[in-house]
Amino acid sequence: MPLLDYLQQHNWTGHPAGRSEIVGLCPLHEETRPSFYVNTRKDVFYCHGCGRGGDLIRFLQLSRRLSFRQSLACLNPKTTPEAGSIDVFERTVAFYQQQLDHYPEAMLYLNKRGLHDPALIKELEIGYAPGGILRRHLTAQGYSFDLLRQSGLLNVNGSDALYQRVVFPLREGEQIVNLYGRSIGAAFAHRFLPGTKGGLYAWEKVRHYSEVILVEGLFDYAVLRQAGFHNVTCSLVLISTRSSSTN
């Protein structure tokens, strides 16, 4: 299927921008000025806003967080992606949010880090991964063991990848692309799941400000947001670099 046909079937609209190009708003991130170009001759896309591009398979991987194999299956009418592959992170984040209320030590850790506003904690979707129960919960919801391994939610031994960690979901637009876990115990401080780690947290929400406050970590970000600063972001690259040196 041509890329443009797929996009138009999913309610994307654009207008001619050249002999073989169509431009419109990028479906991969929030923007107000069209920067998403589709080259109908080459059957590829490129967004000058978020810097991502590729063919239809790549678009499916980015927009629906599918693997290459799952993207191919999605385009094959004889097969479909594994059930739940698109929303497994959403289910995980919701589950971790529920756990936060059941583990006083997690709330105590948040309070020690200066974060105590329940509304903001809910807005940022902060949760807690106690470890040892996510696999059982998700498999009971119908998610396969293979999917949980492929997504990085389980480690090579089949155990929960995040253990005794306060968890922040990391989104690009509306899609969760990774989870960040901050240890509240003796384990090394920072952990991401496999996948994208770099960039700036919640950049789509602050990029329109004329001045942006850049802080080092997610807790610095949360505390400033709690104090009323909305033009703030943090570098996930710094966290990732620091975590790799701690391993």
Side-chain angles (χ1 to χ4, degrees):
M1 174 187 296
L3 172 62
L4 181 60
D5 288 353
Y6 176 88
L7 291 169
Q8 290 175 338
Q9 287 179 13
H10 291 77
N11 302 315
W12 184 81
T13 58
H15 60 269
R19 179 176 298 180
S20 303
E21 287 192 323
I22 307 294
V23 64
L25 295 175
C26 181
L28 300 176
H29 70 100
E30 296 180 7
E31 64 177 4
T32 57
R33 294 184 177 181
S35 62
F36 184 87
Y37 286 79
V38 177
N39 187 305
T40 57
R41 182 175 61 84
K42 297 180 180 180
D43 201 28
V44 295
F45 73 93
Y46 184 77
C47 176
H48 293 276
C50 62
R52 291 175 289 187
D55 57 10
L56 177 55
I57 297 294
R58 182 57 178 161
F59 181 81
L60 286 171
Q61 290 179 283
L62 292 170
S63 63
R64 301 176 63 176
R65 205 180 185 280
L66 300 177
S67 67
F68 180 80
R69 178 181 61 81
Q70 290 167 337
S71 298
L72 287 177
C74 184
L75 296 174
N76 187 341
K78 296 181 180 179
T79 60
T80 57
E82 183 172 5
S85 62
I86 298 173
D87 65 350
V88 63
F89 275 178
E90 295 286 353
R91 290 290 184 96
T92 299
V93 167
F95 179 69
Y96 283 157
Q97 285 183 282
Q98 294 171 0
Q99 301 311 304
L100 188 63
D101 294 330
H102 300 300
Y103 290 86
E105 61 268 32
M107 290 301 303
L108 180 62
Y109 179 83
L110 291 179
N111 292 338
K112 286 183 177 179
R113 296 299 301 266
L115 188 56
H116 50 74
D117 181 358
L120 181 62
I121 292 172
K122 182 177 180 180
E123 177 189 337
L124 300 181
E125 303 176 282
I126 298 172
Y128 179 65
I133 60 176
L134 179 67
R135 174 181 172 181
R136 182 172 64 250
H137 171 75
L138 291 178
T139 53
Q141 299 293 316
Y143 296 97
S144 72
F145 176 80
D146 287 342
L147 174 62
L148 301 183
R149 281 284 304 275
Q150 292 170 9
S151 65
L153 292 168
L154 302 182
N155 60 27
V156 293
N157 299 318
S159 302
D160 293 1
L162 299 179
Y163 183 82
Q164 292 186 349
R165 291 179 180 273
V166 168
V167 178
F168 288 75
L170 309 180
R171 292 183 179 272
E172 288 185 359
E174 297 299 318
Q175 296 283 338
I176 298 178
V177 296
N178 209 323
L179 302 180
Y180 166 74
R182 182 60 162 85
S183 174
I184 69 170
F188 61 88
H190 311 283
R191 170 165 286 176
F192 291 86
L193 299 184
T196 178
K197 306 178 182 66
L200 298 173
Y201 179 75
W203 176 243
E204 293 88 354
K205 296 181 179 179
V206 301
R207 60 185 302 164
H208 64 280
Y209 286 100
S210 59
E211 294 184 351
V212 175
I213 302 171
L214 175 64
V215 295
E216 182 178 359
L218 284 162
F219 282 99
D220 302 320
Y221 168 90
V223 170
L224 278 180
R225 277 292 312 278
Q226 185 175 256
F229 294 92
H230 291 274
N231 59 328
V232 60
T233 184
C234 75
S235 173
L236 300 173
V237 175
L238 291 177
I239 299 175
S240 178
T241 302
R242 192 167 51 190
S243 89
S244 62
S245 65
T246 314
N247 283 329

